[in-house]
Amino acid sequence: MTTNVSRGGSEEVASKLRPVHDGPRHGAAEVAAGIFASRIVGFIRERVLAHYFGTSEAADAFRSALRIPNFLQNLFGDGVLSGSFIPVYARLLGEKNQVEADRVAGVVATLLAIVVSILALIGVLITPFMISLIAPGFEGEKRLLTIRLVRILFPGIALLVMSAWCLGILNSHRRFFLSYAAPVVWNLAIIGTLLLFGGRQAQLDLAVTAAWGLVLGCFLQLAVQLPTVFKLLTKFRPSVDIRSKHVQNVLGSFGSVVVARGVVQISAYVDNMLASLSHAGAVSVLGYAQTLSLLPISLFGMSVSAVSLAEMARSRGEGAQTSTAESNEALRTQLERGLRQIAFFIVPSMTAYMAVGDVVIAALYKTGKFSQNDIHYVWAALAGSALGLLPSTLGRLYSSTFYAVEDTRSPLRFAIIRVALTTALGYVAGVRLPRYLGFDMSWSIACITVTSSVAGWIELLMLRNRMNDRIGRSWIPWSFLWRISLAALVASAIAVGVRILLDLWMPWFPPFLAVVPIFGCFGTTYLGAAVLLRIPEATSAMNRVTRRVRRRH
């Protein structure tokens, strides 16, 4: 991607600290490709779940049961490793200290396995108490089913955490695709289980069977990564020796990163808790909307942030002899490049979800027990989540930058504030206010997602201001923001027009086919408008496509 840099010499300084190859761009493409593959299969999984469960009480129980193991896996897996392990491990690789890097990897793997196994055992024992926290509105058979499902899923946590450890190793060695594509087998295990038993069992029994299929998927996700990981770890051995200063650095930042990096999971947990207090089916409506809202966050936010974290940490090791001013300039250059790259994709995603989000929802979920009313409720929740897509993705990149310089406390403080705001605003706007005003509670989920987005914007502003104090001003140029916003609005208008024409001329056109012309026109219009507005990212993308076409011919 082409980046405008207003500070003289910043690109020259950055080139001294970056690898010779263009790692960030190609690495982000690999991460995005892996995530895209897993998300496509994930959408198939969601469609199968919608077909068999709809927005029933079994669907609420299954999705709520997933919250606890997913929450712990993200905190003790991706969260800890992204924020504390990868910066230390990747820096050691940048310093060409493979022996010490492998020693750190062995200790971290051993400690993670021990800790998460203990947590899984404790979790099985205290599941009823945890259900009271995550879904306080569940009662009777619905509550008992949720408890049973959580107890089945807990053993899979250890496997998922070790899979996240594999991701840390692979990312640090610039092997990005495998770790992000590995969830494909996890999704396939669930899909296969549902297809095999869906026509034979009642909904409550099928939810239990699907939970066992999920545990199988956890095992498969770990198994596909281990062979490559062990090839990269030439001196690996399990150990609990924590005397190394590098291991102590990892452990020292553990607590801060657990809370700060898990803010998305904490916010999702709060939203789930508030939804359980709303009405029957609210939890599953929220789950369907969050699945869609997480797609651009994963594809564009996570891909850029994951690669940037590893590259920034390696650059610190490779450029250890440079001055602080030069190091900050290089860091700022990498950060600003990532901010522009993320915004170029996220801004149109926001407008598309708000303008024609119901088209995607119908294409994915309108089957079996999923009705037209369900589409409207999910769309409202999705539109509220769309308002927070940009702060969520940009905030993740800012957090990765803090972690790269081994500052875990700043993101922690802002994460706590965000969670507090999400809880307070969500309860007032999503639970109390609709009942006080006499609104239909079916629309309360939209209020919850909107307030969550507001909290995300506040967190982003705090992260940006703190980072500016540390390395100098960093942000997306306003001229760039208004140009991509204009391109996205034009594309949204075209998409809405195509949708109206299809409704008038071909009302029989199936939803899963209508999504192709509508979003095809959206994407083409956005890219074309961006090129006309001279947005460098669009021009660069068009040039790459043109070169590939010429090579083939």
Side-chain angles (χ1 to χ4, degrees):
M1 296 288 180
T2 304
T3 306
N4 292 332
V5 181
S6 59
R7 304 169 188 84
S10 61
E11 285 287 359
E12 180 181 352
V13 173
S15 66
K16 297 177 183 179
L17 300 182
R18 288 197 303 268
V20 175
H21 69 293
D22 190 5
R25 188 179 72 183
H26 293 292
E30 289 183 21
V31 174
I35 292 174
F36 183 73
S38 64
R39 289 293 177 180
I40 290 298
V41 182
F43 282 137
I44 297 173
R45 179 204 70 211
E46 287 297 302
R47 185 174 178 85
V48 174
L49 282 170
H51 179 79
Y52 286 110
F53 293 122
T55 56
S56 64
E57 292 199 347
D60 281 354
F62 189 79
R63 291 188 178 280
S64 295
L66 281 175
R67 292 289 184 189
I68 294 175
N70 280 350
F71 175 75
L72 294 178
Q73 182 253 327
N74 279 289
L75 287 185
F76 295 98
D78 297 345
V80 171
L81 297 172
S82 296
S84 59
F85 172 61
I86 290 180
V88 174
Y89 183 76
R91 179 164 53 82
L92 290 171
L93 293 179
E95 295 171 354
K96 311 300 182 185
N97 193 347
Q98 181 72 49
V99 173
E100 183 62 21
D102 287 354
R103 181 180 295 115
V104 171
V107 174
V108 170
T110 305
L111 294 178
L112 276 176
I114 294 172
V115 170
V116 81
S117 296
I118 295 173
L119 285 174
L121 178 60
I122 295 174
V124 170
L125 298 176
I126 66 170
T127 295
F129 173 74
M130 299 176 73
I131 297 302
S132 298
L133 290 176
I134 196 170
F138 285 9
E139 298 177 349
E141 189 176 31
K142 187 175 181 179
R143 172 182 165 83
L144 294 176
L145 175 62
T146 307
I147 292 173
R148 184 180 179 185
L149 294 177
V150 170
R151 284 175 167 164
I152 293 172
L153 297 177
F154 252 117
I157 296 174
L159 299 173
L160 289 178
V161 170
M162 299 315 298
S163 178
W165 172 79
C166 291
L167 179 147
I169 300 295
L170 293 168
N171 279 12
S172 299
H173 285 272
R174 300 191 177 111
R175 304 289 185 90
F176 297 104
F177 178 76
L178 176 59
S179 56
Y180 289 97
V184 167
V185 296
W186 182 83
N187 285 310
L188 288 176
I190 301 173
I191 293 170
T193 302
L194 288 170
L195 293 178
L196 185 61
F197 295 95
R200 308 177 185 179
Q201 296 180 336
Q203 282 188 338
L204 300 184
D205 293 332
L206 182 60
V208 174
T209 304
W212 285 112
L214 188 148
V215 174
L216 173 62
C218 295
F219 170 77
L220 295 175
Q221 181 174 330
L222 174 62
V224 298
Q225 298 178 80
L226 284 178
T228 302
V229 168
F230 286 135
K231 287 180 182 178
L232 297 172
L233 298 174
T234 55
K235 303 293 184 181
F236 172 80
R237 66 181 181 85
S239 172
V240 292
D241 185 358
I242 62 173
R243 290 174 295 178
S244 166
K245 67 176 183 178
H246 303 293
V247 173
Q248 291 175 4
N249 286 341
V250 175
L251 298 179
S253 58
F254 179 91
S256 299
V257 177
V258 162
V259 178
R261 197 61 163 178
V263 65
V264 174
Q265 286 73 40
I266 295 172
S267 297
Y269 157 76
V270 171
D271 290 345
N272 190 91
M273 179 184 68
L274 294 174
S276 74
L277 297 172
S278 179
H279 61 93
V283 173
S284 42
V285 167
L286 181 64
Y288 291 127
Q290 287 178 338
T291 298
L292 282 169
S293 66
L294 286 175
L295 177 61
I297 292 176
S298 300
L299 277 178
F300 310 122
M302 184 184 296
S303 60
V304 175
S305 299
V307 176
S308 296
L309 173 59
E311 291 297 330
M312 288 174 182
R314 286 187 72 121
S315 295
R316 291 186 70 224
E318 294 168 349
Q321 304 304 317
T322 61
S323 67
T324 301
E326 290 178 325
S327 179
N328 286 345
E329 188 70 16
L331 194 66
R332 188 164 55 242
T333 299
Q334 290 179 315
L335 173 60
E336 290 181 341
R337 180 187 296 111
L339 292 172
R340 290 172 59 104
Q341 195 173 359
I342 289 173
F344 178 73
F345 292 104
I346 291 297
V347 170
S349 299
M350 294 170 62
T351 60
Y353 275 163
M354 288 187 281
V356 286
D358 60 327
V359 176
V360 183
I361 296 167
L364 291 174
Y365 301 135
K366 192 175 181 181
T367 180
K369 297 182 179 298
F370 200 91
S371 67
Q372 186 65 37
N373 284 336
D374 293 331
I375 293 175
H376 295 152
Y377 297 143
V378 174
W379 187 17
L382 179 61
S385 296
L387 296 173
L389 289 180
L390 192 60
S392 294
T393 47
L394 297 183
R396 189 179 184 93
L397 180 58
Y398 271 108
S399 294
S400 292
T401 308
F402 278 110
Y403 297 144
V405 298
E406 299 183 26
D407 176 4
T408 60
R409 293 188 177 183
S410 295
L412 168 61
R413 290 195 295 268
F414 305 141
I416 293 173
I417 295 173
R418 175 179 176 174
V419 173
L421 287 172
T422 299
T423 304
L425 295 176
Y427 180 74
V428 172
V431 179
R432 303 300 303 175
L433 191 60
R435 289 175 178 168
Y436 178 77
L437 297 177
F439 290 168
D440 183 352
M441 289 300 293
S442 299
W443 299 100
S444 63
I445 300 301
C447 298
I448 293 173
T449 55
V450 168
T451 54
S452 181
S453 296
V454 170
W457 277 104
I458 294 173
E459 182 195 32
L460 172 62
L461 293 176
M462 293 187 293
L463 286 167
R464 187 195 68 170
N465 292 339
R466 180 67 184 90
M467 182 56 66
N468 287 352
D469 292 339
R470 180 164 189 148
I471 67 173
R473 182 174 175 79
S474 60
W475 187 238
I476 309 167
W478 291 109
S479 61
F480 177 81
L481 278 176
W482 80 255
R483 282 183 292 166
I484 60 174
S485 298
L486 177 60
L489 290 173
V490 171
S492 297
I494 295 295
V496 171
V498 173
R499 182 237 178 117
I500 292 173
L501 291 177
L502 285 176
D503 289 342
L504 290 175
W505 295 346
M506 292 183 287
W508 47 265
F509 210 57
F512 67 89
L513 291 179
V515 74
V516 177
I518 292 173
F519 278 85
C521 290
F522 177 91
T524 303
T525 304
Y526 175 71
L527 186 58
V531 172
L532 292 176
L533 291 169
R534 298 181 180 179
I535 297 173
E537 283 73 7
T539 305
S540 177
M542 288 293 292
N543 290 339
R544 288 199 298 272
V545 172
T546 302
R547 285 195 298 268
R548 289 178 182 176
V549 171
R550 287 175 178 173
R551 289 195 198 106
R552 293 180 180 178
H553 295 282

